[in-house]
Structure formats: structure tokens, C-alpha cells
Amino acid sequence: MKGNTLVKCVVPVLLHFHCVVFGGLSEAKQRPRVREIGLEIGLLKPGPLNAITDVAGVRVGHVTLVNGEKVRTGVTAVLPHEGNVFQKKVPAAIVVGNGFGKLVGYTQVEELGELETPIVLTNTLAVWDAARAVVEYTLAQPGNESVRSVNPVVGETNDGFLNDIRSFPVAREQVAEALRKASTGLVEEGSVGAGTGTVCMDWKGGIGTSSRRLPAKLGGYIVGVLVQTNYKGGTLQISGVPVGKELGKSYLKDQIEYEDGGSCMIIVATDAPLDARQLHRVARRAPLALANTGSSMSHGSGDYVIAFSTARPEESPRSDRGLPQGERLPDDNLSVFFQATLEATDEAIYNSLFKATTVTGINGHTAEALPVEEVKAIMKKYGRLK
């Protein structure tokens, strides 16, 4: 496995597996986030962790699956708060950038404007097992003994270039584990969880996160973003610098190995009192970051944004879906949230690339890690770094 720090996990064929990838994690810890090379993205300042977990109560859990030479996949779970989400729903919205995807749960969120389960990200062919696992998790929550309808929200990207996706390696047990392990605090990034086998614009993609804190005079609210990057149609650019072209990997060049397509899942969280309609407007700004980073959201790309607010979870029964008029911010206040969402999504995408490690998977396919030192030299050449 030349150039790959992932370790192999040998397990009985009939058993499910969960492997902690010690070599890959060690390398990932040594790789910087984009801000750590001296590049500041945007105008607003990040929260203390520069992660989606800067939004109080939001938790993230990963399960990384690596087996032999073929399996490179996983699960990432995002929980909006520490309580029973079905009993304390949160205002939510989903925006479709390009709809070539298998997002489970979209229509009910669109219709009712609320989220009633955690959000799970995984690979394309695992979404239905993951959805059942989310339903099982929800039904098992104390207080849900009489529940007979659940709307699980599960997103995906296709990691089949590196992962033996047809072997269905993700089982309900791994989804349950990701939900159980979800925690506040630092969020692991790169080739982990649902980002284990992803590829982003001819480099290794993965999980990335970032946040922005609004100025105190504008409420001091937090906007946090988590991404699963796996899009291929485009040429990487960072802060307007044509990094992919400088590195010899640009869209439609003959030497590009990866097929057109891919996907990007974007989760936006905020503690601001926004209702579903306002969250939909906020979510519509996140795909602008895909363009900023060089993507054209190609034909085969499934690009989705799921946004939610933790300001006041709604109690069941659903007599009032969303915040009352007097308890939400005026629309005139939304522009700064648009800016915060764009900046945090930009930086989350860059972090997914900077933290990702080189991975070799099925059929010997390899996705190389973004060469950070070369990127730094390019950014200095264009005057972005001192």
C-alpha cells in the first residue's frame, strides 16, 4: 500500500468491523488546518474550536471502516442537541444544489420545516441501512414508546473509487456506534468517518468543519458548518488562487484519473433564532462555497445543504412548527448569516483537504493528500501569505 498510512484490519468474514486507523490518524494530526498555515478565510472570526460544535449542544461522532485492501468508508453523525430530538424538534431546511443523490428524509423537512432525528452521513449504498439505524435509535429513546412514524435524515457521497461500495460494509451497528460516540468538543477531520473514502477535485477529500461568530453588536451568534467533500468536476482554487492548475491537476486535462461527478454534503448549524424559511435562505448561500473552491457542481454531483437552528427546540405534539414571529430575528438581520455561512463552508472544505491523508483502496486506486508545503509556496507566490 505504497503512500498509504492506513493499517489493515483482519476480521472474520461474518463479523462487522470497526477499525481505528492509527497510522492515518497520526498523520492527520500532523497535518495543519488551513488557518494554521497563516491563511485567514473571510472577514468574520471563527468560534473557539472553529468547528460546528461551537454551536452549543451540537455533537459529532465518527466511525471509520478500513478492511484489507478494499474497504475505505464510514459513518459521521451530527446531533443537534443532547436531548430527544424527536420530542424536541429543531427548525430546519434542506437546499438542493445539484440533486444527483440519495438524501433520505428531504420531503418531510421541506414540508414541515423541522428536524426530528440526528443527521447521518455515509456512502451511497449505505443510506437505507443507515436510515433504519436512525429509526431504531429514535424509537429506543425514552419517551418515544408510542412513536409509529420517524423521518430519518441521511445523506451520502459515493466513495466507490476507493471503497468496495458494492460489498455493503456499513451495517446498522456502525451507525448506532457513531450516534452513541457523538460528542461536543474538537471534531476529527480528513480521512475519517463518512470521509474515509472520498475524493475532492483529484485530491483526497473527507470531513471538514469550521465556524464563524457574529460580532457582539450583531448578536454574537455562532454559525457552524461540517462538510463531507467528494466532488470531482472542477479545479481546486483557494482564496481565488488556482492551486489545482499550479499543481498540474485541472479539470478536463488528459491526466485526470477520476470520473466526473461526486458529491458534497454540507451541514449548517446555528444558535440564532431562525425559522425554517430563514434557514432555507441561509442554506442557499452554502453552495457558493463550492464555486469558490473550484467546483461547477457537475452533472453527476449530489450537492445538498441541511441547516438547522438550536435556538429553541420544539416540544411535541407538533402544534407549532417553528419559532413564533416574535421570537425570530428579522429578515433584515440575515445578511451577516449569509456571509458567515459562506466563509465557514469555504474553510470547512479547505480543512477537509488539508487534514485528509493519502488513501489507497480497491483496485489499487490511490487518492493523494493535498501537498501542503507546495500549497503554501503557491499561496506565497500569489501574495496570500506573508
Side-chain angles (χ1 to χ4, degrees):
M1 298 174 65
K2 184 178 179 182
N4 184 7
T5 59
L6 297 174
V7 299
K8 300 176 184 178
C9 301
V10 181
V11 296
V13 174
L14 296 179
L15 295 180
H16 300 303
F17 47 86
H18 170 210
C19 176
V20 178
V21 192
F22 294 101
L25 298 187
S26 176
E27 182 183 343
K29 289 180 180 178
Q30 297 173 10
R31 292 177 61 86
R33 306 179 83 191
V34 65
R35 193 166 289 263
E36 292 170 356
I37 71 167
L39 182 62
E40 294 189 3
I41 306 299
L43 304 172
L44 299 169
K45 300 297 182 183
L49 299 176
N50 195 12
I52 194 171
T53 47
D54 283 323
V55 179
V58 173
R59 293 177 288 161
V60 176
H62 297 304
V63 168
T64 298
L65 299 178
V66 175
N67 186 38
E69 303 290 342
K70 295 183 177 181
V71 173
R72 306 287 184 268
T73 192
V75 180
T76 295
V78 178
L79 284 66
H81 58 71
E82 297 180 356
N84 182 330
V85 183
F86 189 89
Q87 296 298 329
K88 294 188 175 182
K89 299 170 174 60
V90 296
I94 295 177
V95 163
V96 181
N98 193 69
F100 202 146
K102 287 76 184 168
L103 176 61
V104 173
Y106 165 69
T107 57
Q108 184 170 310
V109 175
E110 177 73 10
E111 185 73 17
L112 303 183
E114 61 190 14
L115 185 69
E116 64 184 30
T117 72
I119 301 165
V120 165
L121 305 178
T122 187
N123 75 59
T124 301
L125 296 186
V127 293
W128 300 278
D129 286 327
R132 178 166 175 181
V134 175
V135 170
E136 291 172 341
Y137 167 88
T138 301
L139 294 178
Q141 297 294 300
N144 292 351
E145 291 80 6
S146 299
V147 172
R148 295 188 297 178
S149 174
V150 179
N151 186 53
V153 175
V154 180
E156 54 79 25
T157 70
N158 195 315
D159 56 16
F161 180 79
L162 293 173
N163 174 48
D164 184 9
I165 194 170
R166 289 169 58 94
S167 69
F168 297 97
V170 175
R172 302 201 309 271
E173 291 81 358
Q174 281 85 49
V175 180
E177 183 179 355
L179 291 164
R180 185 173 63 252
K181 290 172 57 177
S183 63
T184 59
L186 295 173
V187 177
E188 195 176 343
E189 297 170 290
S191 307
V192 297
T196 302
T198 62
V199 179
C200 186
M201 288 184 289
D202 302 307
W203 303 103
K204 181 66 187 72
I207 298 295
T209 190
S210 184
S211 70
R212 291 295 183 274
R213 183 188 293 278
L214 273 60
K217 63 182 180 180
L218 298 177
Y221 299 111
I222 293 285
V223 174
V225 171
L226 181 139
V227 299
Q228 175 194 20
T229 57
N230 192 49
Y231 52 95
K232 305 176 182 70
T235 303
L236 176 62
Q237 58 184 30
I238 300 176
S239 292
V241 175
V243 171
K245 186 175 181 180
E246 288 279 352
L247 292 173
K249 290 190 177 184
S250 57
Y251 187 46
L252 302 179
K253 287 196 68 173
D254 292 338
Q255 71 266 32
I256 297 300
E257 298 177 6
Y258 310 120
E259 71 278 10
D260 189 21
S263 302
C264 187
M265 292 299 307
I266 303 171
I267 300 175
V268 180
T270 184
D271 57 0
L274 304 181
D275 65 15
R277 180 186 60 80
Q278 293 172 318
L279 288 166
H280 192 274
R281 297 189 67 200
V282 169
R284 285 173 58 194
R285 271 60 184 185
L288 297 176
L290 297 178
N292 280 353
T293 58
S295 171
S296 59
M297 294 197 297
S298 62
H299 162 71
S301 192
D303 304 313
Y304 298 90
V305 186
I306 306 169
F308 63 86
S309 167
T310 65
R312 198 196 78 189
E314 294 296 326
E315 297 280 356
S316 288
R318 289 181 277 213
S319 59
D320 175 23
R321 300 182 179 99
L323 294 161
Q325 178 70 36
E327 297 185 26
R328 66 171 182 247
L329 291 177
D331 282 4
D332 290 346
N333 292 33
L334 290 182
S335 291
V336 69
F337 289 93
F338 300 162
Q339 182 72 26
T341 300
L342 174 58
E343 291 184 12
T345 307
D346 274 350
E347 189 161 344
I349 290 169
Y350 296 144
N351 283 335
S352 77
L353 287 158
F354 271 65
K355 295 297 287 184
T357 54
T358 296
V359 172
T360 296
I362 189 170
N363 298 324
H365 291 169
T366 297
E368 298 287 344
L370 187 70
V372 173
E373 291 304 316
E374 292 181 48
V375 171
K376 288 170 64 176
I378 293 168
M379 300 307 289
K380 288 180 181 178
K381 171 184 172 181
Y382 281 80
R384 298 300 194 273
L385 296 179
K386 294 181 179 180

